[in-house]
Amino acid sequence: MITPHLDSDPVPREPMIAPSLLSADFARLADETQAVADADWVHVDVMDAHFVPNLTLGLPVVQAIQKVSPIPLDCHLMIENPERWAPGYAEAGARTGTVHAEACTDPRKVARDLRAAGSLAGLALKPGTPLDDCLDVLNDFDLLLVMTVEPGFGGQEFIAEVLPKVRRARELVETGHLTLLVEVDGGINADTIEQAAAAGADVFVAGSAVYGADDPARAIAALRARAVAAAR
Ligand code: DX5
Ligand code: ZN
């Protein structure tokens, strides 16, 4: 099987939009993935009520969404013991499995297992976690998720103080020190996406800004247009 590592995939030049199902109607998840079919990935926030003070959904629900989603799943695992649980999401067919650096005891092993099971391996950092804490392991990952809110809840305000971390990651990619996608998650909307795009993010998660809009497809198009303009 050919695994979808970034080594073999060209890094996309166009910004990617990943609507977060956290702000969707959980009773209509199949329809809600269809509503964002124009996006690149659908972002799935898995929370275990231990790593974060909130509980959302787990592997059986992700397996069900995987069967019906028109676009790939971007699984953000806000869970303890990712070594034990993360590979199951890759085995379910998710495009990405992203674990938190703060929860990992052996991030390289998680990355290896995620890739072996066929997904991109992502590492997420809370707003207060410095990039330097994990620079040595990032060579084993395909994606860096920079949290721009404290993980746990949708609808929070964007923390602009995190942007230097996005800029630094972009520099490391541009200078060839890292090969990965830079994703931002939390408080991304029509006002904040330009700052994040100018700082160098590739993938933009947006929950309330997409599912809170009257027309999610239009909201995605508007976010994409702003990100494209700001990235130039
Ligand atoms: C927060 C989640 C985010 C959240 C984003 O822990 O990781 O994905 O759903 O929601 P908004 O875009 O509303 O901040
Ligand atoms: Zn998320």
Side-chain angles (χ1 to χ4, degrees):
M1 184 175 79
I2 298 170
T3 52
H5 300 167
L6 288 181
D7 300 347
S8 55
D9 277 358
V11 175
R13 289 157 201 269
E14 293 298 323
M16 298 172 68
I17 307 294
S20 169
L21 282 180
L22 189 59
S23 297
D25 179 349
F26 274 29
R28 300 172 45 252
L29 286 176
D31 294 342
E32 295 284 64
T33 61
Q34 291 296 334
V36 300
D38 292 344
D40 297 279
W41 293 340
V42 61
H43 185 83
V44 186
D45 287 306
V46 174
M47 304 187 191
D48 67 353
H50 290 276
F51 181 72
V52 285
N54 195 5
L55 181 66
T56 54
L57 50 83
L59 185 55
V61 179
V62 168
Q63 287 167 332
I65 300 169
Q66 172 69 30
K67 286 189 192 139
V68 298
S69 178
I71 54 175
L73 305 190
D74 175 35
C75 289
H76 178 192
L77 307 177
M78 287 160 275
I79 58 172
E80 289 184 353
N81 198 2
E83 286 80 3
R84 165 72 181 84
W85 301 110
Y89 293 86
E91 286 158 14
R95 174 70 167 139
T96 75
T98 295
V99 297
H100 267 267
E102 304 86 358
C104 286
T105 50
D106 190 350
R108 287 182 198 279
K109 178 179 165 22
V110 188
R112 205 164 48 237
D113 290 349
L114 284 164
R115 286 173 161 186
S119 77
L120 298 177
L123 193 68
L125 303 182
K126 290 188 193 182
T129 304
L131 187 56
D132 285 341
D133 284 11
C134 57
L135 269 189
D136 53 334
V137 299
L138 275 175
N139 276 319
D140 289 343
F141 284 86
D142 307 296
L143 180 147
L144 170 70
L145 191 165
V146 178
M147 290 294 308
T148 42
V149 299
E150 290 298 334
F153 300 93
Q156 302 183 74
E157 200 168 318
F158 180 75
I159 303 173
E161 288 73 17
V162 177
L163 287 175
K165 202 156 44 176
V166 177
R167 268 184 223 112
R168 175 96 199 287
R170 180 87 256 142
E171 271 169 28
L172 291 167
V173 171
E174 295 301 320
T175 54
H177 292 89
L178 292 175
T179 304
L180 44 71
L181 294 167
V182 181
E183 180 171 30
V184 285
D185 182 9
I188 298 293
N189 56 38
D191 295 326
T192 58
I193 196 167
E194 292 178 349
Q195 301 169 53
D202 302 295
V203 187
F204 302 84
V205 177
S208 42
V210 170
Y211 283 107
D214 291 338
D215 184 343
R218 271 181 68 174
I220 291 164
L223 287 169
R224 196 189 292 285
R226 284 186 182 240
V228 168
R232 284 205 184 106

